[in-house]
Amino acid sequence: MKHPAFLAFLVSLLWFLFGLSGPLLVWWLAAEGVANPVLLPAPNQVAASVLELFGDGSLATDIMASLRRVFTGFFIASTLAVPLALLMACFLPLRRLFLPLVTVLRPIPPIAWIPLAILWFGLGDKPSYFITALAAFFPIFLNAFAGAADVDPRHVYAARFLGAGRWRMVRHIYLMSALPHIWTGLRIGLGQSWMAVVTAELIAAQSGLGYMIQANRINLETRHVLTGMIVIGVLGALMTTALGWCEKFILPWKHQRQ
Amino acid sequence: MTANRRFEAGQRLRDIAAGRLRRHCATGAVALDDISVSFFSDRSVTVVSGVSLTILPGEFVTFLGPSGCGKTTLLNLIGGMIRPTTGKVHIDGALVTEPTPVCNIVFQQHSLFGWMRAIDNVAFGPRAMGHPDPRGEAMRFLRLVGLDNHADAYPAALSGGMQQRVAIARALATAPSVLLMDEPFGALDAQTRSIMQEELLKLRRDIAPTVIFVTHDVDEALLLSDRIFVMRAMPGGLKEEITLDGEFRHETDVLRNGKYRKLRQHILTQIREETLKVFNRPDGGR
Ligand SMILES: Nc1ncnc2c1ncn2[C@@H]1O[C@H](COP(=O)(O)OP(=O)(O)O)[C@@H](O)[C@H]1O
Ligand SMILES: [Mg+2]
């Protein structure tokens, strides 16, 4: 019995690892050349660091702290951004009311909010929730708004001829025809949130991957810093891949086989 | 049938009362009263002017004319999608101001909700109208257009002809008094189009809303219609009215019919005149 999908997965995984092996080799040679583990530890030293940090449980704790902050912020951002975007796309008065604020707030990078976040929320989880939510909000909001504003007028007319009231129109026409855009926004938003959590933790937290990197930098434990960076990269890539797999459940009509 | 014959509503009503016409609908009377439409976006463009007409319940009326003569604009007016600059549209005595389930529409293509399966597209109306069994009702209409075995397909997985059949089922599922069709078969290949025309006529034996049909295809208009309005262009309006009472509907080989050929030639000449008007204007008829 054949498993074409599984085989295809295996092949693409092999290619993926193969693609990484070149840079890994370059890193190894460079580390040999530099011969200074504070400036550039070798891959085997970092591998040892990964085992060490996993072994004492600290890495798992940091990962969980960062993930919690990202998903909480991301959740807050999506529950605010999607409804707000849809309502603004559907109802002109709301659009007029909120668009100026959104336009002015959007160019401010999340990192610029960190001082305020610390003043308002102190240190710990709360300022990080604030920052991760902020980072995810704009990609989600802007994509959802563009999607809903771009709804095909024929769909709106058809729905009105079919007797749809306001709620049905927002829920089944605007939301659903914007869903591919919203999905894009969610994916970008999660990525932004993941990057922002590290920034927030560098400054405003006492745990998490960002904090771990910062603490180890001060102790000149560069191999731990690299471990932190690699974990961030791998987890970010895993999130992206997982979302890619979810897509056929979120947007089934884009994936139906004939 | 005579070209330019003034339509006599009184006679038609007597025919209906006497049961001489097959259709016997109580609703779906459409009245346009001195309609004009101008768009002020650029220079003030008058797209339609001085249109008055009455359509009887259950009638199949076609607007026939070249691209850009205002056919879609007229349909949008009747559906309430746009408001006339002057004049009024009434359906069954009620002023039309916005799209409501009194009418429904079939567009040329791609108007199905792509994120819903065929059955949910058709059930959308019954659901919105509070029907007790929307899926059952949707199935009934899908069966009517011969697509009950494709109920679970998403629109993208259906052929163009199938999509239009679903669109027709969706439009009929709320029992509109007036069905608007804007070149509904215009994007289909000739064979599919001809089958769809027959199917539409068959459907109308069971469900007989007033149909207002838009096309630039003379044969299609002659085959389907009770009445044809040949349109003039720039500004759009009615050039000529031709009453057929569906007399070519059941002919197997219309092109052998001398009367058909003469009428067809006459209409083609009329349309060509109007097409040249659009063609020769400075913006090339965009
Ligand atoms: N919203 C609009 N603004 C300006 N001009 C328009 C608008 N809608 C239609 N028109 C113009 O009105 C004319 C008639 O359009 P339309 O009714 O779509 O023609 P048809 O359906 O017969 O091809 C065209 O010349 C078109 O450019
Ligand atoms: Mg048109």
Side-chain angles (χ1 to χ4, degrees):
Chain A
M1 199 173 126
K2 281 186 192 169
H3 298 279
F6 179 71
L7 264 181
F9 169 76
L10 213 63
V11 168
S12 63
L13 188 68
L14 281 176
W15 273 108
F16 188 83
L17 294 178
F18 180 68
L20 283 180
S21 62
L24 197 67
L25 189 69
V26 172
W27 171 15
W28 207 308
L29 292 176
E32 290 292 320
V34 173
N36 180 345
V38 173
L39 281 184
L40 186 61
N44 61 329
Q45 292 167 313
V46 174
S49 149
V50 171
L51 291 181
E52 180 190 330
L53 294 181
F54 261 120
D56 68 13
S58 67
L59 190 56
T61 313
D62 284 324
I63 289 175
M64 289 319 289
S66 292
L67 284 178
R68 188 181 64 241
R69 288 167 188 151
V70 166
F71 284 112
T72 307
F74 179 71
F75 178 77
I76 294 171
S78 19
T79 48
L80 289 178
V82 173
L84 186 65
L86 289 181
L87 292 174
M88 280 174 64
C90 299
F91 304 118
L92 190 61
L94 281 177
R95 187 183 320 181
R96 294 207 168 121
L97 193 63
F98 283 111
L99 211 51
L101 183 65
V102 171
T103 312
V104 174
L105 289 185
R106 186 172 80 102
I108 304 174
I111 194 170
W113 287 91
I114 288 182
L116 273 188
I118 295 174
L119 285 173
W120 291 348
F121 302 113
L123 293 183
D125 280 344
K126 281 186 194 157
S128 302
Y129 294 156
F130 180 74
I131 298 299
T132 51
L134 206 63
F137 180 87
F138 286 101
I140 301 173
F141 173 84
L142 291 170
N143 278 284
F145 182 73
D150 194 39
V151 58
D152 187 336
R154 287 175 308 177
H155 288 151
V156 177
Y157 288 135
R160 294 193 68 187
F161 283 123
L162 292 167
R166 281 194 168 185
W167 166 244
R168 193 173 292 272
M169 189 70 92
V170 173
R171 162 77 181 76
H172 290 282
I173 305 300
Y174 283 92
L175 173 66
M176 293 310 289
S177 68
L179 203 56
H181 288 84
I182 293 175
W183 181 243
T184 303
L186 290 175
R187 280 162 52 177
I188 300 174
L190 187 58
Q192 296 289 324
S193 208
W194 185 235
M195 293 202 248
V197 76
V198 176
T199 317
E201 287 167 352
L202 283 174
I203 303 167
Q206 247 108 58
S207 61
L209 292 166
Y211 172 77
M212 175 271 222
I213 287 176
Q214 176 74 345
N216 283 304
R217 178 188 72 83
I218 292 165
N219 295 333
L220 297 181
E221 290 278 17
T222 313
R223 59 203 183 97
H224 292 337
V225 171
L226 274 169
T227 294
M229 290 170 63
I230 288 171
V231 168
I232 290 167
V234 169
L235 286 180
L238 281 179
M239 280 183 203
T240 309
T241 312
L243 286 181
W245 279 337
C246 289
E247 185 174 295
K248 59 175 165 291
F249 304 107
I250 308 283
L251 309 172
W253 64 95
K254 300 261 179 202
H255 294 265
Q256 194 186 39
R257 291 265 152 73
Q258 238 126 323
Chain B
M1 171 281 317
T2 345
N4 272 333
R5 191 182 85 184
R6 248 332 283 168
F7 173 64
E8 293 196 16
Q11 179 57 45
R12 184 67 70 90
L13 286 169
R14 282 192 293 279
D15 283 345
I16 290 173
R20 279 193 290 272
L21 290 184
R22 276 189 309 282
R23 287 169 301 285
H24 43 76
C25 322
T27 58
V30 179
L32 272 61
D33 182 19
D34 198 20
I35 295 288
S36 69
V37 178
S38 307
F39 291 112
F40 295 105
S41 51
D42 33 357
R43 57 225 147 96
S44 38
V45 194
T46 299
V47 170
V48 167
S49 83
V51 173
S52 296
L53 58 88
T54 316
I55 296 168
L56 283 181
E59 221 184 346
F60 195 124
V61 168
T62 298
F63 293 120
L64 178 62
S67 292
C69 73
K71 306 184 294 295
T72 296
T73 305
L74 275 185
L75 221 53
N76 289 348
L77 275 165
I78 297 170
M81 291 175 275
I82 58 172
R83 304 283 295 270
T85 311
T86 67
K88 287 189 165 59
V89 180
H90 288 89
I91 295 181
D92 295 325
L95 187 68
V96 173
T97 55
E98 58 176 352
T100 66
V102 169
C103 288
N104 216 313
I105 193 160
V106 175
F107 295 98
Q108 183 170 354
Q109 57 180 343
H110 303 317
S111 68
L112 291 177
F113 306 133
W115 53 92
M116 293 182 199
R117 296 171 191 276
I119 182 141
D120 295 312
N121 265 279
V122 183
F124 185 91
R127 275 196 188 107
M129 312 272 282
H131 192 283
D133 177 20
R135 278 184 74 86
E137 185 76 346
M139 249 353 240
R140 194 164 77 78
F141 280 92
L142 277 178
R143 207 168 294 128
L144 223 50
V145 296
L147 284 178
D148 40 325
N149 53 342
H150 289 77
D152 287 331
Y154 285 104
L158 298 172
S159 71
M162 287 171 162
Q163 290 183 26
Q164 289 307 80
R165 276 145 79 192
V166 176
I168 292 171
R170 182 178 75 176
L172 291 175
T174 46
S177 303
V178 179
L179 180 63
L180 308 171
M181 305 186 89
D182 194 349
E183 309 200 31
F185 311 140
L188 306 178
D189 62 84
Q191 281 74 25
T192 311
R193 188 186 317 154
S194 133
I195 293 170
M196 295 287 292
Q197 289 163 354
E198 287 164 27
E199 291 296 313
L200 179 62
L201 289 178
K202 260 192 230 155
L203 270 181
R204 267 175 55 78
R205 286 193 211 130
D206 307 321
I207 310 158
T210 303
V211 177
I212 306 180
F213 195 95
V214 158
T215 184
H216 56 248
D217 180 334
V218 180
D219 291 304
E220 185 167 69
L222 283 169
L223 186 74
L224 297 174
S225 314
D226 290 321
R227 225 174 356 144
I228 299 174
F229 288 103
V230 181
M231 295 194 55
R232 75 177 140 72
M234 308 192 53
L238 307 182
K239 183 182 173 85
E240 184 170 332
E241 176 180 342
I242 296 166
T243 304
L244 301 166
D245 284 330
E247 74 168 279
F248 299 121
R249 254 175 223 163
H250 305 289
E251 295 248 354
T252 42
D253 194 357
V254 279
L255 288 175
R256 290 237 303 269
N257 182 330
K259 195 168 156 191
Y260 181 94
R261 285 207 309 270
K262 238 177 98 189
L263 190 54
R264 180 175 190 274
Q265 196 49 52
H266 169 75
I267 297 176
L268 281 171
T269 314
Q270 300 292 306
I271 294 180
R272 186 178 158 76
E273 242 176 67
E274 300 307 311
T275 312
L276 282 173
K277 271 204 239 164
V278 179
F279 194 77
N280 289 332
R281 96 181 163 193
D283 65 359
R286 129 47 207 142

